[in-house]
Amino acid sequence: MKTDDLVAMLATGAAPVPRRAASRRLSVALLVGVPLSFAWMLYEYGMRRDLIQALFWPMFWVRLALPICVAITGFVIVQRLARPGARVRKAWLGLAVPLVVIWVLALVILMSSPAEERPTLIMGQTWRTCATNIATISLPVFVAALIALKGLAPTRPALAGAAAGAMAGGAGAAVYALHCIELAAPFIAIWYVVGILLPAVLGALMGSRILRW
């Protein structure tokens, strides 16, 4: 078979992919994964009992805003990486800015606190379980995002997997924040960030294998 004939045969019946196919598939992944993550959080950990009171504390919203910003930015990045030729451009700043803000806030609080209080600000009461709890809660979103990506066309599979993991980690951390009792910025800057990084690293490792064309 001649090359021209092969190309013509492969192109037969080809139709343009819907413009927003990637964002729609990933939106479905979030719509499926986030409720499952929330249900798991309620079943395994439960809401914090003073949630209504906590809504009036500024640090509650800071702690919630960090993972939400990461999840939104992860969504933007991964839906771009899911399309061949699409550029991420400055979207990476959406990940860097909230991290820098919480780290600067944590550093200011640590420097202005007595030395004997600093270990408590960093470790809190739940440092042993916080990161793994976030990673566990993020699993439904993580799996749904990888399934969505599998049906798309990422040309940089490891990077796409990492972005999907960051999106899932941010969503999982936001859900976990409705249970968590920790409000110290140094604790959030370390353990919440580690919890978000775990699925991002896992996504990079898995993406390089299962998202290849």
Side-chain angles (χ1 to χ4, degrees), residues 22-102:
S23 58
R24 287 174 182 172
R25 289 180 68 94
L26 291 165
S27 295
V28 171
L30 285 173
L31 289 174
V32 172
V34 171
L36 290 175
S37 293
F38 184 75
W40 177 252
M41 183 274 293
L42 287 179
Y43 174 78
E44 186 67 20
Y45 309 107
M47 290 272 207
R48 59 179 297 164
R49 296 179 181 178
D50 61 345
L51 181 60
I52 300 300
Q53 182 181 357
L55 295 177
F56 296 94
W57 301 337
M59 276 307 301
F60 175 86
W61 294 104
V62 171
R63 186 185 60 185
L64 193 60
L66 168 67
I68 288 177
C69 288
V70 171
I72 292 173
T73 306
F75 175 86
V76 172
I77 293 173
V78 74
Q79 62 92 19
R80 290 182 183 177
L81 289 172
R83 294 174 288 155
R87 296 182 179 180
V88 177
R89 296 178 180 174
K90 296 182 180 180
W92 295 112
L93 291 175
L95 292 179
V97 170
L99 294 179
V100 170
V101 169
I102 194 64

Side-chain angles (χ1 to χ4, degrees), residues 11-213:
T12 300
V17 176
R19 185 176 181 182
R20 300 187 180 277
S23 58
R24 287 174 182 172
R25 289 180 68 94
L26 291 165
S27 295
V28 171
L30 285 173
L31 289 174
V32 172
V34 171
L36 290 175
S37 293
F38 184 75
W40 177 252
M41 183 274 293
L42 287 179
Y43 174 78
E44 186 67 20
Y45 309 107
M47 290 272 207
R48 59 179 297 164
R49 296 179 181 178
D50 61 345
L51 181 60
I52 300 300
Q53 182 181 357
L55 295 177
F56 296 94
W57 301 337
M59 276 307 301
F60 175 86
W61 294 104
V62 171
R63 186 185 60 185
L64 193 60
L66 168 67
I68 288 177
C69 288
V70 171
I72 292 173
T73 306
F75 175 86
V76 172
I77 293 173
V78 74
Q79 62 92 19
R80 290 182 183 177
L81 289 172
R83 294 174 288 155
R87 296 182 179 180
V88 177
R89 296 178 180 174
K90 296 182 180 180
W92 295 112
L93 291 175
L95 292 179
V97 170
L99 294 179
V100 170
V101 169
I102 194 64
W103 286 335
V104 169
L105 180 60
L107 184 60
V108 170
I109 290 175
L110 284 174
M111 295 298 292
S112 60
S113 300
E116 63 271 14
E117 293 181 7
R118 292 172 187 172
T120 302
L121 291 172
I122 294 173
M123 301 300 184
Q125 301 177 45
T126 62
W127 68 274
R128 291 182 178 86
T129 58
C130 178
T132 53
N133 288 348
I134 289 173
T136 301
I137 290 174
S138 73
L139 282 177
V141 179
F142 180 77
V143 172
L146 287 186
I147 292 173
L149 275 176
K150 187 67 175 175
L152 296 169
T155 55
R156 290 172 284 180
L159 200 57
M167 179 183 74
V175 171
Y176 181 70
L178 300 177
H179 159 79
C180 182
I181 61 172
E182 310 287 356
L183 289 173
F187 181 95
I188 297 167
I190 296 175
W191 305 111
Y192 268 65
V193 172
V194 171
I196 293 170
L197 283 176
L198 288 175
V201 172
L202 181 61
L205 295 174
M206 294 184 64
S208 62
R209 296 184 177 184
I210 68 175
L211 297 179
R212 290 178 179 176
W213 290 15

